[in-house]
Amino acid sequence: MRIILDGMGGDNAPGEIVKGAVEASKLIEDEIIIVGDGDKIEFQLKKYKYSDEKISVKHASEVIENDDAPVRAVRRKKDSSMVVGLNMVKSGEGDLFISAGNTGALMAGALFNLGRIQGIDRPAIASIYPILGTKKPSLLVDAGANSECKPSNLLEFAMMGSIYMEKVLGRENPKIGLVNLGVEETKGSTLTKAAFGLLEKSHLNFSGNIEAREVPLGGADVVVCDGFVGNVILKLTEGLAINIVNLLKKKFTENARAKMGAVLLSKKLRSLKEEFDYTEYGGAPILGVKGPVVKMHGSSNANAVKNSILKAIPFAEENVVGIISESVFEIEEVLIEEE
Amino acid sequence: MRIILDGMGGDNAPGEIVKGAVEASKLIEDEIIIVGDGDKIEFQLKKYKYSDEKISVKHASEVIENDDAPVRAVRRKKDSSMVVGLNMVKSGEGDLFISAGNTGALMAGALFNLGRIQGIDRPAIASIYPILGTKKPSLLVDAGANSECKPSNLLEFAMMGSIYMEKVLGRENPKIGLVNLGVEETKGSTLTKAAFGLLEKSHLNFSGNIEAREVPLGGADVVVCDGFVGNVILKLTEGLAINIVNLLKKKFTENARAKMGAVLLSKKLRSLKEEFDYTEYGGAPILGVKGPVVKMHGSSNANAVKNSILKAIPFAEENVVGIISESVFEIEEVLIEEE
């Protein structure tokens, strides 16, 4: 397989991107093609030992910046690492595209350059949501791509998320939960009430509504919501985790007795920090476009890049895009029944 | 002042409600009238020493249960502790109503029995949101009463929240933040973009959009969002806090070394738990109805009841309802300007 990696996206590009690619390359047989400023990437690559056959560079002269307007950027910067990389997947030169760049641009670029899967109205970003104390993360769809949704969009998110969870994360018959104000069918907004009806009619393993308090406890394997709510869930979790870790640090260094206790607990405190570490779980897949595209966190370091590459391989290998295409008729059946 | 307390609402009624009332009564000069099943409440009261002049009982023969349909319950159960209590505020027999009962019914009852403040389209529940490591909580409006909102509703929430924050929590010129996908004005849903425009035109101290990750860090004094998002923020915070505390407990008892560390840190760990303790901050005010009504957590214990009573007093004493009524014209000015 050929993995196309955006060498210029994210806060730590190209240094950490290249380093992560080299580290991943040692663990896999697949080929990695790093797209971006040839000189800069080669300069970074020279720091490491790697196999020429497994890592190569594809030059692209432009870079889409984080503050670029997404749609305009992907339309105008035709020779950006992002657009070039996406087109390599489209043409078959690559099997998978991974980028830590501008999220909006990556979404827009995937839509323009690869296109939507026929029958999918709204592609979505799915985010791996760690469940503390377990090694079984949930998948949150949509994590922020579509701030306004129709009920049928939530059904699409559920279907695509279910396939990804099963094929990439290896969880059979994943449990789908719809984020809502309460567990009762009658609760919620116009959107969630209608989506509940559609999900119930589907072939998915729909377990009903879940309240937001169940999300961090692993209440569902696939957590379905509109992108506004998904974004709130992701960002709030991040903010609260940072806040709690900082508070622990502060409290545990307030006096000598506490400091001694913290020394004894240092291993445990470190393992707690790892629980919050998004870099272990890899990137966020964009679902619903005609090719496997993965968005890495903008602040990804080499370890995050390495893990994103490793975890993304089954996205292409298991033909998730093809399976979604073949499953679209199931959504159509539910919608026809509804009319 | 006469505080009307729902003796039958919540999971621990009437035992903990009565106990909390007795404890609060020792600290204040105001009168507390407990509404509900006279025999049961008197039975509980007999366990304690209290002043007859400061605590009395008003009999009500019915109880609104947690699984009662809200609107039907407040329409039919005319002699329930909740409806009787609300009517006491309406008639002037009481100055403030506090209940740990069915949230939907309390909202519906407040609307039917007290009525909306003229010019307020959507009354809301405001929740005190603790900011860890500080003693300065934020106020979240709407915390779940209105799952679908118009832009003008968010302006109402901001205005009412600002007044409550200033008058009851004593924070001058509170900073208003609008929950959104990003800080830029152009980001977000149709709702948040339009609300941004209204808030900017208002006299409020509007500081712009805040991302959900800033909410637990105290990014705004008054956090404004629709009730669906507010409910997600509250419940997710609760779920994540429980999860983290449980994980800490587990990790800190995994072996002898960790246990010893935990003993040395026991005081700090206890203080951490207190940070999460909602019972310290009192109940959630319902804003926009013609009388001060406070919703306590359904699982409130005596300490939570005591604090809810103490913290609710300024809601009535500072005439928050009157000030909201007098400030409605400011909303109307913004909306007229907009047209």
Side-chain angles (χ1 to χ4, degrees):
Chain A
M1 192 172 35
R2 276 162 305 180
I3 298 158
I4 314 298
L5 185 63
D6 180 352
M8 311 308 285
D11 309 335
N12 307 312
E16 293 291 307
I17 307 286
V18 170
K19 190 176 174 202
V22 172
E23 287 174 10
S25 173
K26 288 176 184 153
L27 304 167
I28 53 176
E29 292 308 313
D30 310 273
E31 199 185 325
I32 300 173
I33 305 171
I34 308 176
V35 188
D37 184 316
D39 291 343
K40 285 186 182 161
I41 292 168
E42 295 285 2
F43 176 80
Q44 293 294 331
L45 269 172
K46 281 199 186 103
K47 297 180 180 170
Y48 310 101
K49 276 192 184 162
Y50 66 94
S51 150
D52 272 4
E53 286 172 16
K54 284 168 71 185
I55 299 187
S56 59
V57 180
K58 165 94 172 183
H59 180 70
S61 63
E62 292 174 293
V63 176
I64 293 182
E65 307 290 349
N66 261 335
D67 52 4
D68 276 344
V71 173
R72 179 196 292 233
V74 295
R75 291 284 193 207
R76 299 211 177 157
K77 293 185 170 175
K78 298 279 186 207
D79 200 40
S80 61
S81 55
M82 195 183 275
V83 173
V84 170
L86 286 164
N87 280 330
M88 287 170 79
V89 172
K90 187 177 186 182
S91 67
E93 285 169 84
D95 300 292
L96 171 63
F97 182 62
I98 306 177
S99 173
N102 183 322
T103 310
L106 185 60
M107 191 77 203
L111 282 168
F112 292 150
N113 294 285
L114 301 175
R116 284 183 295 128
I117 290 174
Q118 203 180 352
I120 295 292
D121 179 36
R122 291 291 191 91
I125 295 183
S127 182
I128 313 284
Y129 189 92
I131 305 302
L132 302 188
T134 77
K135 297 282 170 203
K136 288 178 66 183
S138 298
L139 189 72
L140 181 71
V141 206
D142 175 18
N146 307 284
S147 64
E148 265 146 314
C149 292
K150 290 179 293 192
S152 58
N153 299 143
L154 298 193
L155 177 60
E156 293 172 358
F157 301 163
M159 184 271 270
M160 299 191 294
S162 179
I163 291 169
Y164 190 88
M165 180 50 92
E166 188 155 340
K167 297 299 171 186
V168 179
L169 297 166
R171 206 167 311 161
E172 267 181 57
N173 199 24
K175 214 168 85 176
I176 314 288
L178 176 67
V179 178
N180 209 341
L181 299 179
V183 293
E184 304 86 349
E185 181 175 349
T186 53
K187 285 236 171 162
S189 60
T190 318
L191 172 66
T192 58
K193 281 182 212 166
F196 189 101
L198 296 178
L199 285 162
E200 236 187 0
K201 289 199 187 78
S202 75
H203 297 293
L204 299 165
N205 180 14
F206 177 51
S207 67
N209 290 327
I210 58 167
E211 292 192 82
R213 55 171 287 145
E214 299 299 324
V215 173
L217 305 170
D221 297 313
V222 179
V223 174
V224 174
C225 55
D226 69 56
F228 195 100
V229 169
N231 183 276
V232 165
I233 291 176
L234 268 192
K235 300 259 177 82
L236 182 66
T237 302
E238 203 179 320
L240 202 57
I242 292 170
N243 206 355
I244 290 173
V245 168
N246 287 346
L247 185 67
L248 280 175
K249 268 192 208 156
K250 189 172 153 263
K251 282 194 185 292
F252 289 2
T253 51
E254 271 170 355
N255 58 40
R257 184 185 160 96
K259 274 182 199 163
M260 210 188 302
V263 168
L264 290 167
L265 283 169
S266 57
K267 240 180 149 172
K268 299 295 169 189
L269 290 170
R270 231 181 358 256
S271 78
L272 180 75
K273 227 181 143 185
E274 277 163 23
E275 297 266 356
F276 288 124
D277 189 1
Y278 69 89
T279 64
E280 292 300 315
Y281 290 99
I286 295 180
L287 300 174
V289 293
K290 284 190 267 181
V293 177
V294 170
K295 165 72 175 92
M296 296 189 284
H297 202 293
S299 63
S300 289
N301 57 18
N303 190 51
V305 173
K306 181 193 81 179
N307 285 321
S308 291
I309 294 170
L310 300 178
K311 304 273 181 184
I313 291 172
F315 189 5
E317 243 172 30
E318 297 290 330
N319 188 28
V320 169
V321 172
I323 297 173
I324 291 175
S325 306
E326 289 158 18
S327 307
V328 161
F329 80 93
E330 291 175 14
I331 293 179
E332 285 162 357
E333 278 178 358
V334 172
L335 296 178
I336 286 167
E337 200 188 318
E338 189 73 3
E339 273 163 10
Chain B
M1 192 173 30
R2 276 162 306 178
I3 298 158
I4 314 298
L5 185 63
D6 180 351
M8 311 308 286
D11 309 335
N12 307 313
E16 294 289 308
I17 307 286
V18 170
K19 190 177 174 202
V22 172
E23 287 175 10
S25 172
K26 288 176 184 153
L27 304 168
I28 53 176
E29 291 308 314
D30 310 274
E31 198 185 326
I32 300 174
I33 305 172
I34 308 177
V35 188
D37 183 315
D39 289 345
K40 286 186 183 161
I41 291 168
E42 295 286 2
F43 177 80
Q44 293 294 332
L45 269 173
K46 281 199 185 101
K47 296 180 181 170
Y48 311 100
K49 276 194 183 160
Y50 67 94
S51 151
D52 272 4
E53 286 171 17
K54 283 168 73 184
I55 298 189
S56 60
V57 179
K58 164 94 173 184
H59 180 70
S61 63
E62 293 174 293
V63 176
I64 293 181
E65 308 290 348
N66 260 335
D67 52 4
D68 277 343
V71 173
R72 178 195 294 232
V74 296
R75 291 284 194 205
R76 298 212 178 157
K77 292 186 171 174
K78 299 278 186 207
D79 200 39
S80 61
S81 56
M82 196 184 274
V83 173
V84 171
L86 286 165
N87 281 330
M88 288 170 78
V89 173
K90 188 177 184 184
S91 68
E93 285 169 85
D95 300 293
L96 171 63
F97 182 62
I98 306 178
S99 173
N102 183 322
T103 310
L106 185 61
M107 191 76 203
L111 281 169
F112 293 151
N113 294 286
L114 300 175
R116 286 183 292 128
I117 291 174
Q118 203 180 353
I120 295 292
D121 179 35
R122 294 289 192 92
I125 296 182
S127 182
I128 312 284
Y129 190 92
I131 304 302
L132 302 188
T134 77
K135 299 282 171 202
K136 288 178 66 182
S138 298
L139 189 72
L140 182 71
V141 206
D142 175 19
N146 307 284
S147 63
E148 267 146 314
C149 291
K150 291 179 292 192
S152 58
N153 299 143
L154 298 192
L155 176 60
E156 292 171 358
F157 301 162
M159 183 270 270
M160 298 190 295
S162 178
I163 291 169
Y164 189 88
M165 179 50 94
E166 188 155 339
K167 297 299 170 187
V168 179
L169 297 165
R171 206 167 312 161
E172 266 181 58
N173 199 23
K175 214 169 86 177
I176 315 286
L178 176 67
V179 179
N180 209 341
L181 299 178
V183 292
E184 304 86 349
E185 181 175 349
T186 54
K187 285 236 171 162
S189 61
T190 318
L191 173 66
T192 57
K193 280 183 212 167
F196 189 102
L198 297 178
L199 285 162
E200 237 187 0
K201 289 199 187 77
S202 75
H203 297 293
L204 299 164
N205 180 13
F206 177 52
S207 67
N209 290 326
I210 58 168
E211 292 193 82
R213 56 172 286 145
E214 299 299 325
V215 173
L217 305 171
D221 297 314
V222 179
V223 175
V224 174
C225 54
D226 69 57
F228 195 99
V229 169
N231 183 277
V232 165
I233 290 176
L234 268 191
K235 300 261 177 80
L236 182 67
T237 302
E238 203 179 320
L240 201 57
I242 292 170
N243 205 357
I244 290 172
V245 168
N246 287 345
L247 185 67
L248 280 176
K249 269 192 207 154
K250 188 171 153 264
K251 282 194 186 292
F252 289 2
T253 52
E254 271 171 355
N255 58 39
R257 185 185 161 95
K259 275 181 198 162
M260 209 188 303
V263 168
L264 288 167
L265 283 169
S266 57
K267 240 179 149 171
K268 299 295 171 191
L269 289 171
R270 230 178 2 253
S271 78
L272 180 75
K273 227 181 143 185
E274 277 162 22
E275 296 267 357
F276 288 125
D277 189 2
Y278 68 89
T279 64
E280 292 300 316
Y281 289 99
I286 295 180
L287 300 175
V289 293
K290 283 189 265 179
V293 177
V294 171
K295 166 72 176 94
M296 295 188 285
H297 202 293
S299 62
S300 290
N301 57 18
N303 190 52
V305 173
K306 181 194 81 180
N307 285 322
S308 291
I309 294 170
L310 300 178
K311 305 272 181 185
I313 291 173
F315 188 5
E317 242 171 30
E318 297 290 330
N319 187 28
V320 170
V321 172
I323 298 172
I324 291 175
S325 306
E326 290 158 17
S327 307
V328 160
F329 80 93
E330 290 175 15
I331 293 179
E332 285 161 357
E333 279 178 357
V334 173
L335 296 178
I336 287 167
E337 199 188 320
E338 189 73 2
E339 273 163 12

